[in-house]
Amino acid sequence: MSAVTAPTQGKRQAGKKPVASDRAKAETRLGQRLVAPAIILMLLVTAFPMLRAIYLSTFDYALTAPEDREFLGLSNYLTALTDPLFWQTTGMTVLYMVVTVAVELVIGFIFAMVMHRVIFARGLIRTSILIPYGIITVVSGFTWQFAFSFQNGFINGWLPFVGDDFNWFGETTPAVIAIMVSEIWKTTPFMSLLLLAGLAQVSEDMVEAAKVDGATWWQRLTKVILPNMRAAIMVAVLFRALDAYRIFDNIFVMTAGAQKTESISFLTYRQTIEQFQLGMGSALSVLLFLSVLLVAYLIVKLFRVDLAQARQES
Amino acid sequence: MATGALSACGSDAPVLNWYVNPDGVDTFKKYAEQCSTDDYDIAVQELPSSATDQRTQLARRLAAEDSSTDLMNLDPVFVAEFANAGWLQEIEGDTADEVNASLEGDGDYLAGAAETVTWEDKVYAIPLWANTQVLWYRKSLAEAAGLDMSQPVTWDQVIQAAADNDGTVGVQANKYEAYVVWINAMIQGAGGDIVSDTEAGKDASVDIDSDAGRKAAEIIEKLADSDAAQPDLTVSNEGTSLGQMYPTSGAGEFMVNWTFVYKNYEGGIGQPGGPADEAAFKDLGWARYPQTVEGEESMPPVGGIDIGIGAYTDNPDWAAEAAECITSKEAQVELALTDGLMPSTNSAYDEVAASGDYPEDLLDLYRTSVDEGGPRPKSAFYAMISSAVQARWHSPTSVDPDSTPEESADYLKDVLEGKALL
């Protein structure tokens, strides 16, 4: 692999393409031939379902009425994009994403600091913080559902401002809060793990130098530590945001989409798996795919981090 | 699963897979063994507990033309869907004749059960057990309210009686299939339908915006606004309301629920959530499903399980033979006596009655309820119809008789025509 990347290494001169030797060219060709089977296999595995989904999305096609299958062109997309339900679930999905990622970023950073600085029982503390991430989402969904239940849960007893028989899953707002709590509890450790890696890269010398220069704790954090962690923060936010945008399990377990808590993934699932509407379901999954790409693009733009550069820095 | 696998190990005979819902599994296993022959072995495979998940799993197998799905327990409401998709073998011969005769009031099957297995004038499954809902209640609560339970009662009366006497009314109002069961029963009880002419598929007539639909919405609104509503009304299911019959404080409840309730409380005497003692259990009463409109016969929901034969099975003749065996009278009687799952034939009912395991009036009530009950819409698009109704009628606290039936009719039409997302 080093031969393949060799021509791009070293300082590039503006406007001039480095000239590769015959040997380097031959090695590149060999490398391409060696990876070709894997690429073909990858294309078969990933491209086929995607192309099939695009093809199916042009039909009105229900599994339970195969004879009524009808070609619609782009009509399913038009129906979806003009339907208030699509935009309501998209809005709800963005809400889940923004709130959970924001809260997780703050709590995750605090956890990362604790894990980074802790000097006693380091292993125990790190393990304790990471435990929720090891639990399967469906299990954590059920756990929090029981916790929020007014019949056998403890949350109502702990919160002085809600009654003992308050039904968290009876209205949209409390149900969304319950889902978010479960989501945040489950994935904050992942966020803190990524941030811990970023924190470890911040040079202690720089922090010490800032300290010597008389910078306060807050100044050291905002002027030295956070700017040097920008790439790590972007990766953490990007990973979690994409994950949060595809939120499904907690909603499935806790409300089954009732009280307008549905996400776009849930809507797609219901259309395809519950209703057997393969045409509309495929159209929605294509839209979901495109919106995930859009979210990824926006986050990369927002942080203004060159991914290739970020990789080299790490 | 293990039973089937073990029994299959000993011989070279082909294995017929029988997908069963998790109620009465031990009895199913027993009959799988008894009905296995030298030619084939029957292996029991368990499906998930919710009807929706059972349907999804079976459909995914059948859509992939799985030849190992030989026999399956089907919720009646999915027979039309599966038959229309071409996933079920047609049932022919004596069993089909018996089903058809029963529909004309001349066969052994209860009419309500026989009705569930037909699609476009053909028979696609065999009724195994037939379920129905009745009104369960505390006799002391009804007495305190001055209700004469020997006469038909209405939803309005039941809600009022519970609200005035520190009681509650248990229903299934979570956003799921059973909520539609409730809505459908109330609409049919007022002489209406959610949809009709369902064999027209997506062109079915949408009838939910009617006086019957408005009456059903009025009842839901009344309960939601009443003191009789249980705190978890919006997420209530068949299980959650069980604990309200014998609460630690309060007068108990009126509850519409399936036939399993009797055996459930009988087995729960002295247990948490169950009757404290025999006397408390004797305080459990039952009556026909409440009327939507006073003086108009109620239409209790019909449920149960039908046995279907997979369209892609490698052994259709043996599967048909096995289906006959596992739906035999003996099997039906045993399911009733050990699992509380009531039979679909009159002859099996007679035997259950003779056993003395159930109060005679309760068995009569079940039998009448199945016979005179109302089916849910039989349509290849039932899942869409059900979900569209749930989308506009849930949450029960948001139901408004002036707008909900109309909005749900418009939405249902749009969904069927592919103009709206579900």
Side-chain angles (χ1 to χ4, degrees):
Chain A
M1 287 304 280
S2 61
V4 178
T5 54
T8 60
Q9 281 178 349
K11 273 195 173 178
R12 283 183 184 182
Q13 289 172 11
K16 277 190 181 176
K17 208 176 173 185
V19 181
S21 67
D22 287 347
R23 186 185 161 191
K25 281 180 188 167
E27 283 186 349
T28 305
R29 277 198 297 276
L30 175 67
Q32 285 168 347
R33 277 203 296 277
L34 286 173
V35 296
I39 288 178
I40 292 168
L41 194 67
M42 275 279 287
L43 280 177
L44 281 176
V45 171
T46 57
F48 174 73
M50 284 163 81
L51 292 174
R52 174 104 177 127
I54 293 170
Y55 170 72
L56 281 174
S57 70
T58 58
F59 286 92
D60 175 13
Y61 178 26
L63 267 185
T64 52
E67 284 162 18
D68 297 352
R69 181 169 155 155
E70 191 187 341
F71 180 74
L72 291 177
L74 296 178
S75 179
N76 280 333
Y77 292 97
L78 195 68
T79 305
L81 291 171
T82 53
D83 196 299
L85 185 61
F86 177 81
W87 294 108
Q88 184 218 308
T89 50
T90 303
M92 187 51 81
T93 312
V94 171
L95 183 73
Y96 283 126
M97 183 182 73
V98 171
V99 174
T100 57
V101 173
V103 174
E104 285 175 25
L105 189 61
V106 175
I107 303 177
F109 189 74
I110 295 168
F111 280 172
M113 294 282 269
V114 170
M115 288 195 280
H116 189 58
R117 297 280 175 216
V118 68
I119 43 173
F120 61 92
R122 177 179 277 223
L124 183 70
I125 289 172
R126 287 189 173 187
T127 310
S128 311
I129 288 176
L130 294 177
I131 279 175
Y133 194 60
I135 292 171
I136 298 161
T137 315
V138 171
V139 176
S140 105
F142 275 115
T143 310
W144 281 99
Q145 190 193 32
F146 285 128
F148 277 102
S149 160
F150 73 91
Q151 280 170 325
N152 40 24
F154 59 82
I155 302 278
N156 283 359
W158 281 12
L159 298 177
F161 51 86
V162 295
D164 282 347
D165 61 355
F166 180 68
N167 176 11
W168 283 85
F169 303 106
E171 302 286 338
T172 305
T173 308
V176 167
I177 291 171
I179 290 169
M180 283 179 176
V181 167
S182 174
E183 186 77 2
I184 291 167
W185 180 81
K186 167 76 175 63
T187 45
T188 298
F190 177 64
M191 183 73 105
S192 60
L193 207 58
L194 294 176
L195 294 175
L196 178 65
L199 211 51
Q201 287 164 23
V202 178
S203 160
E204 281 298 318
D205 294 346
M206 280 199 289
V207 180
E208 280 302 314
K211 209 173 186 174
V212 171
D213 287 346
T216 62
W217 177 85
W218 180 249
Q219 283 169 329
R220 290 200 301 275
L221 179 70
T222 54
K223 306 280 186 198
V224 181
I225 298 175
L226 288 179
N228 280 292
M229 283 178 68
R230 205 169 68 174
I233 292 173
M234 191 215 66
V235 170
V237 169
L238 181 67
F239 278 24
R240 269 304 301 139
L242 295 185
D243 215 21
Y245 196 80
R246 293 181 287 111
I247 181 170
F248 178 81
D249 315 39
N250 274 317
I251 301 171
F252 185 86
V253 169
M254 296 173 90
T255 62
Q259 324 300 2
K260 298 191 169 72
T261 55
E262 265 185 358
S263 67
I264 190 81
S265 295
F266 198 93
L267 182 69
T268 310
Y269 158 82
R270 211 146 46 74
Q271 208 68 220
T272 320
I273 307 292
E274 268 186 35
Q275 306 299 332
F276 303 147
Q277 297 293 321
L278 297 192
M280 182 57 87
S282 299
L284 286 173
S285 60
V286 170
L287 290 173
L288 175 63
F289 172 71
L290 293 177
S291 52
V292 167
L293 280 186
L294 181 71
V295 170
Y297 174 78
L298 290 177
I299 291 174
V300 171
K301 279 280 159 205
L302 184 74
F303 279 82
R304 290 190 212 96
V305 172
D306 178 358
L307 273 179
Q309 195 192 344
R311 210 165 35 231
Q312 272 183 8
E313 280 177 3
S314 63
Chain B
M1 196 159 168
T3 314
L6 285 174
S7 67
C9 280
S11 69
D12 293 332
V15 175
L16 300 181
N17 287 303
W18 176 19
Y19 286 89
V20 304
N21 52 312
D23 310 299
V25 171
D26 288 341
T27 312
F28 291 147
K29 282 181 179 167
K30 185 177 161 189
Y31 276 86
E33 213 170 312
Q34 279 185 17
C35 293
S36 293
T37 68
D38 291 341
D39 291 325
Y40 55 84
D41 291 307
I42 303 172
V44 168
Q45 315 283 3
E46 262 186 71
L47 289 167
S49 56
S50 96
T52 309
D53 294 338
Q54 291 165 18
R55 165 183 169 272
T56 307
Q57 190 174 128
L58 288 172
R60 286 165 74 178
R61 285 179 174 278
L62 292 164
E65 305 193 358
D66 174 28
S67 62
S68 71
T69 305
D70 304 289
L71 296 156
M72 67 198 97
N73 283 14
L74 282 171
D75 195 289
V77 84
F78 304 133
V79 172
E81 268 191 317
F82 280 38
N84 195 67
W87 294 338
L88 296 177
Q89 293 266 348
E90 191 186 336
I91 306 288
E92 289 167 324
D94 292 348
T95 310
D97 294 342
E98 190 70 43
V99 168
N100 286 323
S102 303
L103 288 172
E104 285 154 22
D106 201 21
D108 194 21
Y109 288 106
L110 302 178
E115 176 69 31
T116 64
V117 294
T118 60
W119 175 244
E120 293 185 336
D121 301 325
K122 290 178 185 165
V123 178
Y124 282 100
I126 307 174
L128 174 59
W129 57 277
N131 211 348
T132 188
Q133 287 202 356
V134 301
L135 178 66
W136 302 96
Y137 63 96
R138 289 286 291 270
K139 290 174 184 165
S140 50
L141 172 61
E143 207 170 304
L147 273 185
D148 176 6
M149 297 303 288
S150 66
Q151 298 301 313
V153 289
T154 63
W155 277 105
D156 288 338
Q157 285 174 322
V158 165
I159 294 168
Q160 205 59 52
D164 293 347
N165 293 280
D166 197 22
T168 60
V169 174
V171 292
Q172 292 83 44
N174 196 1
K175 193 180 181 187
Y176 75 139
E177 168 56 21
Y179 186 41
V180 181
V181 171
W182 183 35
I183 296 167
N184 185 59
M186 289 193 292
I187 291 178
Q188 289 191 326
D193 274 309
I194 293 176
V195 290
S196 59
D197 189 21
T198 49
E199 294 197 353
K202 290 191 165 185
D203 299 321
S205 162
V206 176
D207 304 332
I208 195 166
D209 182 20
S210 61
D211 287 344
R214 277 180 284 280
K215 186 64 200 165
E218 267 172 36
I219 292 167
I220 294 175
E221 186 187 42
K222 180 167 183 176
L223 177 60
D225 292 345
S226 154
D227 290 339
Q230 293 175 352
D232 63 345
L233 173 70
T234 56
V235 290
S236 55
N237 61 40
E238 285 95 339
T240 53
S241 47
L242 288 174
Q244 306 297 316
M245 188 64 80
Y246 297 99
T248 41
S249 66
E253 66 176 336
F254 292 93
M255 165 179 70
V256 285
N257 214 330
W258 303 99
T259 57
F260 74 92
V261 168
Y262 182 80
K263 284 278 173 194
N264 184 79
Y265 286 132
E266 190 185 39
I269 296 172
Q271 313 262 343
D277 49 29
E278 278 289 342
F281 178 62
K282 287 213 159 62
D283 195 33
L284 179 72
W286 43 84
R288 183 165 169 140
Y289 202 79
Q291 294 180 344
T292 311
V293 179
E294 193 168 4
E296 211 166 305
E297 280 284 32
S298 64
M299 299 279 273
V302 174
I305 285 295
D306 301 325
I307 302 280
I309 299 170
Y312 308 103
T313 171
D314 289 332
N315 307 293
D317 295 337
W318 286 335
E321 187 184 295
E324 301 264 340
C325 180
I326 56 186
T327 55
S328 65
K329 186 171 80 178
E330 293 70 35
Q332 295 202 18
V333 171
E334 190 156 351
L335 274 172
L337 296 182
T338 56
D339 305 294
L341 309 173
M342 306 315 291
S344 61
T345 59
N346 279 303
S347 55
Y349 251 107
D350 292 341
E351 225 163 275
V352 173
S355 74
D357 258 32
Y358 286 93
E360 218 164 292
D361 61 329
L362 181 61
L363 285 181
D364 284 344
L365 176 64
Y366 286 162
R367 215 192 295 213
T368 324
S369 284
V370 176
D371 244 343
E372 298 174 8
R376 281 162 278 171
K378 268 209 287 185
S379 163
F381 299 97
Y382 177 73
M384 284 172 90
I385 296 168
S386 169
S387 297
V389 171
Q390 291 170 38
R392 288 294 175 271
W393 287 64
H394 202 265
S395 148
T397 49
S398 69
V399 169
D400 178 354
D402 294 332
S403 58
T404 307
E406 190 185 344
E407 281 171 14
S408 63
D410 293 342
Y411 182 56
L412 187 45
K413 277 180 206 153
D414 283 348
V415 164
L416 286 173
E417 288 170 15
K419 289 181 190 162
L421 283 177
L422 189 52

